Amino acid sequence: GTKEEKEYEIAQRKLQFRKPEKIWNTVLFFENGVTTDPELASLKTFVHYLDSARATIQLCLYRMSHWTLGDVLLKKFNKRRGLLIQIITDYDVFTSIDKGTTRLFRKCFDEGMSLKVRRSKSHMHHKFAIIDGEAVLTGSLNWTEQAFTGNHEDVLVTTNPLHVDKYMQRFRTLWRNSQDP
Amino acid sequence: GTKEEKEYEIAQRKLQFRKPEKIWNTVLFFENGVTTDPELASLKTFVHYLDSARATIQLCLYRMSHWTLGDVLLKKFNKRRGLLIQIITDYDVFTSIDKGTTRLFRKCFDEGMSLKVRRSKSHMHHKFAIIDGEAVLTGSLNWTEQAFTGNHEDVLVTTNPLHVDKYMQRFRTLWRNSQDP
Ligand SMILES: [Zn+2]
Ligand SMILES: [Zn+2]
């Protein structure tokens, strides 16, 4: 809505810092939860990206049932006045298929985060996050425990405006065309 | 193997062109197969990226059952002497779960493409392509008809060496640790 868009603009303008180029233009690889291989990322690395948000976190997630990540969001949201967190998730997943996702996102919504659900012919299959309107995380990784501990997954991190602007624009369109939970 | 690595090096060295910056640093969004919205990409756009490969296509795909894409690969491979196509796919998907993926990749293998299967605790869930060692396509999109026609999906395209080098390195490691079909 208009109020949220205004909040968002304000949050954006507050940003006075730039994210370090090299750290925010990289790829995280996961493999069956292995973290001893220096080529591979860990849940902790992933959390660090989320945790460094200063103004806005915009999530467009098919699934989200990993409570380590849920707790990071809830803690940040409750500690940091003015942090805007917007979530779009899949209608079918939220309303029926995946109780883990429903429980976690319901909690986020009850705590005051903005949440919308998006209908689709099959899946709203995105798994991307926009951090501070400045960086995007996207890839194969669903935010579930299986994905982090049992799968081979990649998450690309980028601050290239050619990428970020497209995700921002797409998020706005999806948000407008999504419904309340 | 050593022979393939040599072939690959040669193919890389042959490259005399650079990919246009803006076209190869972007994001493709799909939504239920809608293609009239200028914000959205089409299957045709996606095919164009594949089809512009000149030396190498390295695929790491959880699923691949879309014959439009299969036909593009087969046609390019048979027409262009010296084009190297390497494929890594998920062991479980290839050997049992998804007959569509098995049939398509089996055909690619029979026609002479290099193919390996990767075991994982749960899924080898990647869905990325490296084109000419110079660009990467990654995101939420499985290469299936449902993904292109029924889902909301994103595919990020990048030529940033901070991204591409990581995918190249990861592909090599996965390839080494994968088995013959
Ligand atoms: Zn899916
Ligand atoms: Zn999966």
Side-chain angles (χ1 to χ4, degrees), chain A residues 35-72:
Chain A
T35 56
T36 46
D37 183 337
E39 209 179 275
L40 299 171
S42 63
L43 176 61
K44 215 175 138 187
T45 325
F46 189 82
V47 163
H48 178 76
Y49 283 92
L50 266 192
D51 206 27
S52 60
R54 311 239 186 141
T56 58
I57 299 176
Q58 294 169 302
L59 303 173
C60 193
L61 297 178
Y62 175 52
R63 285 173 192 268
M64 160 61 140
S65 55
H66 201 314
W67 275 98
T68 306
L69 304 176
D71 286 338
V72 170

Side-chain angles (χ1 to χ4, degrees), chain B residues 126-144:
Chain B
H126 294 302
K127 357 174 160 305
F128 69 80
I130 312 171
I131 311 288
D132 295 331
E134 230 188 6
V136 168
L137 279 66
T138 193
S140 64
L141 184 91
N142 289 309
W143 295 25
T144 65

Side-chain angles (χ1 to χ4, degrees), chain B residues 41-60:
Chain B
S42 64
L43 175 62
K44 216 175 137 186
T45 324
F46 189 82
V47 164
H48 178 76
Y49 283 93
L50 267 191
D51 207 27
S52 60
R54 312 238 187 142
T56 58
I57 299 177
Q58 294 169 300
L59 304 174
C60 194

Side-chain angles (χ1 to χ4, degrees), chain B residues 111-122:
Chain B
E111 296 279 324
M113 295 182 206
S114 307
L115 176 79
K116 296 252 192 183
V117 291
R118 185 66 164 93
R119 275 181 199 267
S120 167
K121 245 199 267 175
S122 301

Side-chain angles (χ1 to χ4, degrees), chain A residues 71-145:
Chain A
D71 286 338
V72 170
L73 291 179
L74 287 161
K75 208 174 146 190
K76 276 191 79 75
F77 186 75
N78 289 323
K79 208 172 69 181
R80 194 175 184 102
R81 209 179 296 264
L83 179 71
L84 180 68
I85 301 186
Q86 292 182 311
I87 300 161
I88 303 171
T89 192
D90 182 76
Y91 176 87
D92 293 326
V93 169
F94 188 75
T95 56
S96 58
I97 301 170
D98 181 342
K99 290 214 176 72
T101 297
T102 312
R103 203 173 309 126
L104 197 157
F105 275 156
R106 181 59 69 183
K107 171 84 174 156
C108 290
F109 184 65
D110 290 345
E111 296 279 324
M113 295 182 206
S114 307
L115 177 79
K116 298 251 192 185
V117 290
R118 184 65 163 92
R119 276 182 197 267
S120 166
K121 245 199 266 175
S122 301
H123 302 320
M124 195 297 294
H125 201 237
H126 294 302
K127 0 179 157 299
F128 69 81
I130 312 171
I131 310 289
D132 296 331
E134 230 188 9
V136 167
L137 278 68
T138 193
S140 65
L141 183 92
N142 289 308
W143 295 24
T144 65
E145 285 193 43

Side-chain angles (χ1 to χ4, degrees), chain B residues 67-137:
Chain B
W67 275 97
T68 305
L69 304 176
D71 287 338
V72 170
L73 291 180
L74 287 161
K75 208 174 144 190
K76 276 189 82 71
F77 185 75
N78 289 324
K79 208 172 68 181
R80 195 176 183 100
R81 209 180 296 263
L83 178 71
L84 179 67
I85 302 187
Q86 292 181 310
I87 300 162
I88 303 170
T89 192
D90 182 76
Y91 177 88
D92 293 327
V93 169
F94 188 76
T95 55
S96 57
I97 301 170
D98 182 342
K99 291 215 177 71
T101 297
T102 311
R103 203 172 309 125
L104 198 157
F105 276 155
R106 181 59 69 183
K107 171 83 174 157
C108 290
F109 184 66
D110 290 345
E111 296 279 324
M113 295 182 206
S114 307
L115 176 79
K116 296 252 192 183
V117 291
R118 185 66 164 93
R119 275 181 199 267
S120 167
K121 245 199 267 175
S122 301
H123 302 320
M124 194 297 294
H125 202 236
H126 294 302
K127 357 174 160 305
F128 69 80
I130 312 171
I131 311 288
D132 295 331
E134 230 188 6
V136 168
L137 279 66

